[in-house]
Amino acid sequence: MSDERSFAERLAHLIATVHPPDRKPYSYREIAHGVAEQTGVTMSATHVQQLAVGARKDPKRSHIQALAQFFGVPVTYFFDDEVAGQVDRQVEDVVAWRDSEARNLAQRAMRLSPRDRETVTALLDQLAGYDETRHREGRRRKPE
């Protein structure tokens, strides 16, 4: 049996591992939307899902390029075992750092008094709300 992974397996791996630290993996719909927004290449959520599970075996070149750009990997990630291995190791390092950073913050917070933990929680909620507002306002069209 070969150690080579299929396009679908590599795409599924990116979907499972490459996402912001404070959330679960992107949905197929989010990927399709993000690809269109970043690259102008349109794909349906169903098409992304079919590529990720191997139901579609021959993706278009433009879709491969757009998915690579969305996930921040070189196009060769999908075809070259050496490149895929290097990228996967880098992703593992980032995930490990991300997890250790979250664990470090949680451990530091647990050393605070209950009152101070409530204050930190309120501050985090406030920052999250500020981020959401800024994100929404940044998506609006500016008046001409």
Side-chain angles (χ1 to χ4, degrees):
M1 176 161 262
S2 172
D3 286 340
E4 291 182 21
R5 293 183 295 161
S6 68
F7 177 88
E9 290 169 324
R10 291 176 192 211
L11 177 57
H13 180 72
L14 290 175
I15 292 170
T17 58
V18 179
H19 54 83
D22 57 344
R23 59 161 290 160
K24 292 182 179 182
Y26 294 109
S27 69
Y28 298 127
R29 179 174 284 133
E30 288 173 312
I31 294 168
H33 178 76
V35 163
E37 197 171 80
Q38 285 184 18
T39 69
V41 174
T42 57
M43 308 172 67
S44 69
T46 302
H47 187 84
V48 175
Q49 186 234 2
Q50 290 173 340
L51 289 173
V53 299
R56 287 209 169 178
K57 304 263 187 225
D58 194 19
K60 292 182 182 178
R61 181 182 304 174
S62 61
H63 290 164
I64 296 168
Q65 291 170 331
L67 287 164
Q69 185 175 337
F70 177 80
F71 286 107
V73 299
V75 172
T76 52
Y77 172 84
F78 292 109
F79 307 105
D80 185 313
D81 290 338
E82 188 174 326
V83 171
Q86 291 170 348
V87 169
D88 288 344
R89 283 188 293 280
Q90 291 171 347
V91 169
E92 287 171 13
D93 289 346
V94 169
V95 169
W97 175 85
R98 179 175 74 193
D99 291 346
S100 67
E101 183 68 14
R103 192 171 30 258
N104 180 30
L105 286 171
Q107 289 170 344
R108 290 174 64 192
M110 290 311 296
R111 290 192 294 259
L112 298 172
S113 70
R115 185 172 145 247
D116 288 345
R117 281 197 306 266
E118 287 178 22
T119 302
V120 169
T121 299
L123 179 59
L124 289 172
D125 290 344
Q126 190 174 17
L127 287 170
Y130 172 74
D131 248 5
E132 287 176 24
T133 301
R134 192 173 64 200
H135 181 72
R136 267 192 314 253
E137 289 176 356
R139 292 179 148 300
R140 292 185 190 152
R141 297 184 101 187
K142 294 181 181 172
E144 296 178 16

